[in-house]
Every structure is written in C-alpha cells, then in structure tokens.
Amino acid sequence: MSHISIDAHRQRGKISKYIYGQFSEHLGRSIYGGLWVEPNSNIPNINGLRTDAITALKAIKVPVLRWPGGCFADTYHWADGIGPADKRKKIVNTSWGSVVENNHFGTHEYFELLNQLGADAYVNGNLGSGTVQEMSEWVEYMTFNGTSPMADLRTANGHKDPWHVKFFGVGNESWGGGGNMRPEYYADLYRQYQTFLTSYDSDSPLYKIASGPNVDDYHWMDVLMKNAAPYMDGISLHHYALASAWEDKRPALAFPEAEWFSLIKSAQKMDELITKHSTIMDKYDPEKRVGLIVDEWGSWLRAEQGTNPAFLYQQNTIRDAMIAAITLHIFQKHVDRVQMANIAQMVNVLQSMLLTDGSKIVKTPTYYIFKMFLKHQDAIAMDTLDDLSETTSASISKNKDGYFVSLCNYGLTATDTITVDMDSLISTVSGEMLRGTKMDQHNDFDHPDEVSPESFTAITHDSHQLTAKIPPMSVVTLQIDTVN
Ligand code: AHR
C-alpha cells in the first residue's frame, strides 16, 4: 500500500525539459550506423541521417543532445570534421576500440541532426589534448555572425548563418581519461579556457559547464566550487548504475533476481550523490545559480556477446525502464539544482533509446519511459507528502489541466495499491502503463513489441481521491484533470 497527498501550494519548481536530454558520442555505433548512414545509403535518410531514427526520436522531443563525447571529446580536433567529407582526416578512435574515425560526421552534420530533431546544442570541447585557441576558434566557427577567419571558413564550407550553441562543456572527466588532473590544476585550466569562449550572441550567452566529479568524489566538487564557481554556469556529475563491481559488468539479459535489485540500488544512489554534491555547492553558491549537470547516467552492463566490447552495445529490458523512471524521479526531486541531465547514450550504446542493426531498428523500454514522461517536461514538480511501499517510486508534476503522476513499482511479485489524495476536484483520469512479466523482457529485431505501453485502467476515483493498482515490474503514468 502506498499513499500520496498533493497540496497545490507545495511546489518544488519547474522541471527543466533539459533533464530529459540525450548524449551521443563517437563510440561504437552510436553515431555511425545508429544515426548517420551517409547520404548515399540504401537506408532511407535525409542528408545522411536515418529517417527511422529521427522519426522515433522526434516523438520523444529530445530537448538537447550532448556531443561529441565523453572520452572522445578530449581527443577530438574539430577542424578534422569540416570541409568536403572525402578530404577529411581519418584518425584512430583511441578511446573506443582504436577503430578508424573518418570524420564524416562533424560540426555541420551535428547541427543538421539537431535541426532534424528540434534539439538544442550541448557541445563538449577538448581541454585534455586541445589548445585554448582551438576551443576558442570552435566557438567562433559555430556562433560568430560577421566577418572573421572562422565565420568565413564556415561560410566557405556552405553555412553562412551561425548556429546557436546553448551549452558548452570544457573538458570531460578531467580527473580520468580527460587528463588525469588534480582538481586544483583543472580548476585553473577551466578558468583559463572559459575566458576565451566568447558569447558572440549577447542575448543568449553560452552556458559553460565545468568537468565535475566522478560519482562520490566530493573533494573534486569542493575544490572546483571554491576556485571556479563564479566562472561556470554548470558543473557535471557522472554516475552509472552497475549490478556489481565496475570491473565485473553483469549481463543485460538472463540475470538473477539479486541483480535486478543490485542494479536498481546502484541507480538509487543518484539521490544521495545529488544531495551531498548540492550541499557542497550550497556553501559556495547559496543562491543555486550553478546547475548540477548529470551529463552521463544510466545502466552500464556487459556488452552483448559477439559484439566488440569497446562498442558498449547492450540490450535494454524492463529493468532499464525501472532505472530510467527511478532516476528521472530523483532528478525531479532536485529541480533546484539539476538543470540538465543526459542519459548515456541515445542509440546503440549503454542504456539507449534505440537499437539498430543495418536497416532494422527497435525502440527500447527506456525509450518508452521518455515517451510516457513527456508531460513532465517543463511542468512544475510537486512536493508531495508520500508514504510509499518499499518498492515504489513516484513523481508528480502540475500542468495546465491538473496533475501528471508517474509511478514505478519495481517489486517482482506484489501489486501496489496506491491512493492519491488532492485538494482539488478530480474530473477525469487517464492512464498508460509499461509492464514486464519477466525480469529481462525486452524488444529485439524479431520481436519489437514485447515491451510497449498499453492503456492503464485499474483506477477508481471519487471527488478528491483516486486509487490505482500498480502491477509489479511496471511504470504507470496518470493524467489527473482537475476542476478548481
Ligand atoms: O559513456 C561512455 C563513457 O563513459 C564516456 O565516454 C565517458 O565520459 C564515461 O567514462
């Protein structure tokens, strides 16, 4: 039994739509094959971008896309990825399997992708192996409107108008693959690099993001905030859900019951991480101006058998749907600090929305959570009074018609009966459900609809209270229309 009480006056604040952000890196088949297939491909595409993927992603209203990495960002030299495709440098992707990177997907192709998706840009710059000048010129190339060496080069490459860059990351995981730096050293470099990232559009200045801590490295957060907070708009946090130790990645399918719960427990740690990092941030930024940007999150499981382990291709089950719902609920609890989050990664890598195989494509259970949760984007998070069962997670937002409720019962056997009380008059309630009947239920290319949303009707209500019976291994959303 669970109970939730909604008081219209208890509001946490706006849920930034950017919490529903995505991440796509030059890693395995995330970009190449998953999104980019070349304009002359037999796979239907518009300007090289596969139409089936774009159509599916448009339906989840991707608000922002982080690119080009991840680890790859700190080896990426943007000038390799502009100009005629056949003249672009072929490099070795030393971060991910030492495969050839032909640079056919570069800055222009990224903005074409954003344009087709209707998403905002989050470009991650190279601080690890790139210069201040290189980073500064990339911003000039992308955003300067006028005559300048980089703007002229952009025009010569076929794009006269500048693009809009909303978010810019200064390095990635600088404590590790991004340079193995100490926080004091990175804080100084961050201050230096960001100085030369000019906001050419004064109406919409760059939102600059510092490379933040790994999981629970609170020392990194403290040093960065102490030394560089006034120079940043956001600071990143990375946390992946693991079913066991980092060195012992567990399978995405056919896992034991214990790993259902260990993966979920690992995802739930996000709440503690955000709380503790926010407390440190509060010391230096009590007004909460600086955003905590969780720009890598999701489940990290063993790569599927027969695939290149460096490509991080994993299946996605109803368990991943639980991870997505629970984590998004945590972000919505912390709307005062979490200004953006980017699940890793959008296609074919880690906890993805879509899986592709040649011309085939399949939507994952995680995709459906993003679709079912659309009404939370930019709505007002409610601070409800909850008494939830041990295996239930919930989040409620207010929209123009009433309330949008998402509920996740991650128990394996028991249905949870949830009552929701509210101080306004209920007019109608409609519901949707994503449900598993076994722990590793998933969609594959031969069975694409094993897990997909269905209408949810196990609801009764009177004027101010509703009751819903939430089956185990399910996520339910309810739109409660009210009369005030
Ligand atoms: O998302 C995969 C990798 O995980 C990213 O490249 C890196 O930043 C993190 O370690």
Side-chain angles (χ1 to χ4, degrees), residues 23 25 27 70-71 96 172-173 238 240 296 300 344-345 350:
F23 169 37
E25 179 170 10
L27 190 181
C71 293
W96 302 111
N172 171 73
E173 298 192 347
H238 292 178
Y240 286 97
E296 290 186 27
W300 194 317
Q345 301 192 5
L350 298 175

Side-chain angles (χ1 to χ4, degrees), residues 13 15 18 59 63 78 111 137 228 230 242 301 326 352 365 444 455 477:
I15 301 167
Y18 296 116
W78 66 270
F111 281 99
E137 287 184 344
L242 305 167
L301 299 163
I326 290 166
S352 51
D444 63 27
S455 130
T477 57

Side-chain angles (χ1 to χ4, degrees), residues 25 29 61 133 146 180 206 243 349-350 406 427 467 473:
E25 179 170 10
R29 296 184 300 112
K61 295 196 187 344
Q133 181 179 359
N180 288 304
L206 283 178
V349 169
L350 298 175
S406 50
S427 63
T467 302
M473 293 192 268

Side-chain angles (χ1 to χ4, degrees), residues 75-207:
T75 63
Y76 185 60
H77 299 287
W78 66 270
D80 294 347
I82 56 170
D86 58 345
K87 301 264 178 342
R88 294 186 194 173
K89 218 187 253 181
K90 292 187 175 54
I91 60 160
V92 182
N93 186 334
T94 50
S95 303
W96 302 111
S98 292
V99 295
V100 174
E101 159 65 57
N102 66 16
N103 277 304
H104 283 193
F105 188 92
T107 302
H108 291 248
E109 292 74 19
Y110 169 62
F111 281 99
E112 172 64 15
L113 171 58
L114 294 181
N115 182 41
Q116 291 192 25
L117 291 175
D120 284 328
Y122 175 9
V123 176
N124 207 120
N126 176 352
L127 174 134
S129 68
T131 63
V132 176
Q133 181 179 359
E134 182 184 12
M135 194 185 283
S136 168
E137 287 184 344
W138 197 9
V139 171
E140 180 189 330
Y141 186 88
M142 293 185 285
T143 62
F144 184 62
N145 190 10
T147 299
S148 82
M150 293 304 114
D152 292 351
L153 184 57
R154 183 186 69 233
T155 305
N157 286 330
H159 208 275
K160 183 162 184 340
D161 292 334
W163 294 289
H164 179 57
V165 175
K166 185 158 179 77
F167 301 99
F168 196 93
V170 183
N172 171 73
E173 298 192 347
S174 304
W175 40 263
N180 288 304
M181 297 173 197
R182 291 172 303 111
E184 294 80 4
Y185 181 67
Y186 172 74
D188 281 346
L189 280 188
Y190 173 80
R191 290 167 59 130
Q192 179 191 359
Y193 274 68
Q194 69 78 35
T195 305
F196 302 95
L197 302 178
T198 307
S199 288
Y200 293 103
D201 178 357
S202 53
D203 290 339
S204 182
L206 283 178
Y207 182 109

Side-chain angles (χ1 to χ4, degrees), residues 296-414:
E296 290 186 27
W297 68 274
S299 61
W300 194 317
L301 299 163
R302 190 183 291 170
E304 283 304 300
Q305 225 175 359
T307 66
N308 184 337
F311 284 10
L312 309 184
Y313 176 83
Q314 66 190 41
Q315 247 299 355
N316 194 298
T317 64
I318 189 71
R319 181 178 59 164
D320 293 271
M322 306 287 128
I323 302 292
I326 290 166
T327 309
L328 292 164
H329 287 172
I330 294 169
F331 295 153
Q332 294 188 175
K333 179 176 159 195
H334 294 279
V335 287
D336 58 338
R337 261 303 172 200
V338 181
Q339 296 183 8
M340 174 162 63
N342 310 76
I343 189 169
Q345 301 192 5
M346 194 158 74
V347 189
N348 288 334
V349 169
L350 298 175
Q351 190 176 345
S352 51
M353 306 295 117
L354 303 172
L355 300 174
T356 69
D357 177 14
S359 63
K360 294 185 235 162
I361 193 163
V362 73
K363 296 174 181 130
T364 65
T366 301
Y367 170 91
Y368 288 118
I369 295 300
F370 275 68
K371 189 147 192 279
M372 288 168 66
F373 279 28
L374 275 175
K375 281 194 169 176
H376 279 314
Q377 288 194 21
D378 279 343
I380 303 296
M382 299 303 295
D383 181 13
T384 50
L385 298 168
D386 300 340
D387 181 11
L388 302 178
S389 89
E390 225 174 64
T391 57
T392 295
S393 156
S395 188
I396 292 158
S397 62
K398 184 169 173 46
N399 54 40
K400 65 176 180 18
D401 301 314
Y403 294 100
F404 185 64
V405 180
S406 50
L407 302 159
C408 170
N409 178 358
Y410 56 91
L412 292 173
T413 49

